């Protein structure tokens, strides 16, 4: 059974008799570890009530594009960004036509345009409608755009016809969704990822640190596992559960992070430095808690070791990917950082916008390598991570 651990699946249900099977599909997706939210078209609500899918998914079902209350909660753009996958099952002939034409005339078709997540369709319609040249052309257009199609299955249809057009079984659709992430493009590669902040101690109870949550690094680790890599996270202090099938080494300071990185180096094919490592640490760590004293005190700091630059200088060297958190001239600074640190790739992260980057669920980055670059539009960190891992697999 393909897994969907830590994946956000947005299930779109359109108006066909197979809509009743979407209840079972919610369960199949959840059994594979997915978080599921549901959008229903108006037609779908004629076949199954939103209440059923709300009860099963544990979240309110989204139905309207122009709904003030819904937009105040999780609006259509938030839904589009939340999704790691938009799975539409059943996808009727009408919906397939609207998607192929790029229409945005209801919530589901609008989210399909607005999301950076992959789109998977499980078509369901009368066999003659499926065979119609218009439907064939629409499906071909969508396939050329990278849309994944599961099914349809053949057999006896609700209308009494026999032939292709039945929605594929929910378990098969859920497995297809899982295998979408299991790319295998880094099968057997050993990947080490630094994640989270470092803490540089001042005394037994105080430290210098930053707002990194570890979400970006942990999302990269999940994407690396899905790509088939043997994945280790060297993690600063974070409040996150380790993705399944990863090894997590917990550290506090930059010095400890360097020590673990160098220890793993002989067994590392790809090194990704996503951690927000403190550039300076206090010169001395007091044994006792520092007492309140004069109005002003001066803290003397010293540079920490540059972990990713040290890794990039090693021989033999893993394919080394750094991040660059910048607030201005982001691409120029990032390219300069890549060259100075001897990196093979750098992910430029504009952290001037507080709604992305540090401690948020979303990000927007540009990935640079010596003779190319690619911008990754704003999306949740899982989607960004999957795209970064794909670029690494292409370039490494
Ligand atoms: O953890 P999240 O809340 O999800 O946020 C993600 C993030 C914003 C932390 C992440 O996307 C990010 O941008 N990480 C890099 C942050 C950073 O410290 O950037 P920098 O430009 O200061 O460092 C450049 C590179 O050198 C980074 O790869 C960093 O890991 C590395 N470095 C820096 C200093 C040091 N002493 N050793 C290092 O290895």
């Amino acid at each position: 059974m393909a897994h969907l651990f830590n994946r956000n699946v947005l299930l779109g249900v359109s108006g066909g008799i197979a809509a009743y099977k979407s209840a079972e599909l919610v369960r199949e997706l959840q059994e594979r570890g997915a978080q599921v939210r549901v959008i229903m078209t108006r037609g779908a609500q004629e076949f199954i009530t939103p209440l059923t899918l709300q009860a099963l998914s544990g979240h309110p079902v989204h139905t309207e594009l122009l709904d003030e209350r819904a937009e105040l909660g999780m609006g259509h753009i938030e839904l589009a960004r939340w999704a790691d996958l938009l799975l539409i099952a059943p996808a009727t002939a009408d919906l397939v036509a609207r998607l192929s034409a790029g229409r945005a005339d209801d919530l589901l078709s609008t989210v399909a345009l607005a999301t950076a997540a992959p789109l998977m369709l499980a078509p369901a319609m009368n066999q003659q409608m499926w065979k119609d040249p218009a439907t064939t052309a629409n499906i071909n257009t969508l396939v050329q755009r990278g849309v994944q199609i599961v099914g349809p299955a053949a057999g006896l249809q609700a209308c009494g016809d026999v032939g292709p057009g039945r929605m594929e079984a929910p378990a098969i659709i859920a497995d297809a969704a899982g295998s979408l992430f299991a790319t295998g493009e880094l099968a057997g590669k050993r990947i080490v990822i630094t994640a989270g902040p470092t803490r540089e101690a001042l005394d037994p109870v105080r430290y210098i640190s930053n707002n990194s949550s570890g979400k970006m690094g942990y999302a990269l680790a999940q994407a690396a596992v899905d790509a088939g890599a043997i994945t280790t996270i060297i993690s600063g202090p974070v409040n996150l559960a380790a993705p399944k099938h990863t090894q997590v080494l917990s550290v506090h300071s930059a010095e400890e992070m360097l020590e673990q990185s160098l220890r793993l180096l002989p067994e590392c094919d790809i090194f990704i430095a996503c951690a927000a490592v403190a550039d300076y640490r206090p010169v001395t760590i007091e044994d006792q808690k520092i007492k309140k004293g004069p109005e002003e005190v001066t803290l003397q700091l010293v540079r920490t070791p540059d972990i990713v630059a040290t890794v990039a200088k090693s021989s033999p060297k893993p394919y080394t990917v750094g991040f660059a958190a910048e607030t201005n001239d982001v691409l120029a600074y990032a390219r300069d950082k890549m060259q100075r640190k001897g990196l093979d790739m750098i992910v430029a992260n504009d952290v001037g916008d507080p709604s992305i980057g540090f401690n948020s669920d979303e990000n927007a980055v540009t990935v640079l390598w010596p003779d190319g670059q690619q911008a990754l539009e704003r999306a949740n960190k899982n989607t960004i991570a999957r795209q970064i891992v794909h670029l690494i697999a292409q370039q490494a």
Side-chain angles (χ1 to χ4, degrees):
M1 178 159 65
H3 81 83
L4 284 161
F5 298 126
N6 296 332
R7 295 292 170 196
N8 295 339
V9 178
L10 186 55
L11 176 63
V13 183
S14 64
I17 179 62
Y20 80 91
K21 292 190 198 166
S22 52
E24 194 186 333
L25 181 52
V26 172
R27 279 272 185 259
E28 292 285 351
L29 293 166
Q30 287 170 332
E31 271 170 24
R32 285 160 182 76
Q35 302 284 334
V36 183
R37 288 179 183 266
V38 181
I39 295 178
M40 295 177 81
T41 64
R42 207 159 283 175
Q45 294 167 65
E46 302 289 335
F47 292 93
I48 178 171
T49 69
L51 196 59
T52 306
L53 296 182
Q54 173 174 322
L56 289 170
S57 68
H59 297 284
V61 169
H62 301 262
T63 55
E64 298 301 325
L65 178 58
L66 303 173
D67 177 343
E68 250 175 59
R69 272 185 314 150
E71 289 294 311
L72 281 176
M74 198 180 238
H76 68 282
I77 296 297
E78 281 85 359
L79 270 176
R81 289 182 183 148
W82 175 85
D84 293 324
L85 168 67
L86 174 57
L87 169 63
I88 304 183
T92 60
D94 175 63
L95 188 79
V96 166
R98 286 192 289 124
L99 293 176
S100 123
R103 298 289 298 268
D105 46 8
D106 65 1
L107 178 62
L108 184 52
S109 54
T110 303
V111 168
L113 281 184
T115 189
L119 175 57
M120 179 176 271
L121 304 183
M125 62 196 75
N126 166 270
Q127 53 90 23
Q128 198 57 52
M129 291 168 79
W130 173 251
K131 286 183 202 152
D132 189 277
T135 304
T136 306
N138 290 333
I139 289 284
N140 287 343
T141 302
L142 292 170
V143 169
Q144 275 163 21
R145 285 186 208 144
V147 175
Q148 305 283 322
I149 310 290
V150 193
L156 179 64
Q157 301 203 285
C159 55
D161 280 7
V162 178
R166 287 162 59 106
M167 186 172 104
E168 196 47 280
I172 292 178
I173 298 171
D175 275 340
S179 56
L180 192 74
F181 297 104
T183 62
E185 55 190 357
L186 289 174
K189 295 281 183 204
R190 295 158 305 176
I191 297 197
V192 175
I193 300 169
T194 68
T198 62
R199 281 184 186 170
E200 309 300 330
L202 279 158
D203 69 15
V205 292
R206 301 188 182 95
Y207 52 80
I208 297 173
S209 191
N210 59 66
N211 282 335
S212 170
S213 62
K215 287 177 190 171
M216 191 67 244
Y218 278 56
L220 282 164
Q222 181 67 64
V225 168
D226 290 340
I230 302 152
T231 307
T232 305
I233 309 174
I234 305 176
S235 178
V238 297
N239 284 318
L240 296 174
K244 289 214 172 181
H245 310 299
T246 58
Q247 187 195 8
V248 178
L249 302 172
S250 297
V251 297
H252 284 86
S253 65
E255 199 67 55
E256 288 170 12
M257 195 171 265
L258 174 69
E259 194 184 314
Q260 292 297 345
S261 301
L262 294 180
R263 195 176 65 75
L264 293 176
L265 214 45
E267 289 148 28
C268 171
D269 300 306
I270 297 169
F271 185 88
I272 308 177
C274 184
V277 184
D279 288 321
Y280 292 90
R281 65 170 173 79
V283 170
T284 48
I285 305 173
E286 300 299 332
D287 288 339
Q288 308 295 332
K289 183 180 169 219
I290 300 167
K291 293 273 175 276
K292 200 190 300 179
E295 281 300 313
E296 283 185 18
V297 289
T298 305
L299 199 57
Q300 208 184 345
L301 302 175
V302 62
R303 283 282 289 272
T304 55
D306 193 315
I307 299 164
V308 74
T310 309
V311 167
K313 274 196 207 99
S314 67
S315 173
K317 147 186 181 292
Y319 186 85
T320 310
V321 181
F323 271 66
E326 307 287 351
T327 52
N328 59 303
D329 299 324
V330 178
L331 296 188
Y333 280 127
R335 201 166 274 286
D336 176 62
K337 221 171 243 183
M338 175 166 68
Q339 281 155 3
R340 269 190 298 111
K341 297 193 183 211
L343 310 179
D344 298 296
M345 181 180 272
I346 197 154
V347 181
N349 206 161
D350 185 346
V351 290
D353 176 352
S355 68
I356 56 169
F358 279 94
N359 199 19
S360 74
D361 290 335
E362 294 172 6
N363 215 347
V365 301
T366 301
V367 183
L368 302 112
W369 55 96
D371 56 357
Q373 66 183 62
Q374 187 170 326
L376 305 179
E377 297 300 322
R378 182 172 178 149
N380 73 40
K381 284 182 175 169
N382 285 337
T383 298
I384 296 283
R386 197 174 47 76
Q387 293 169 323
I388 293 173
V389 164
H390 180 59
L391 287 171
I392 292 172
Q394 283 181 334
Q395 297 294 325

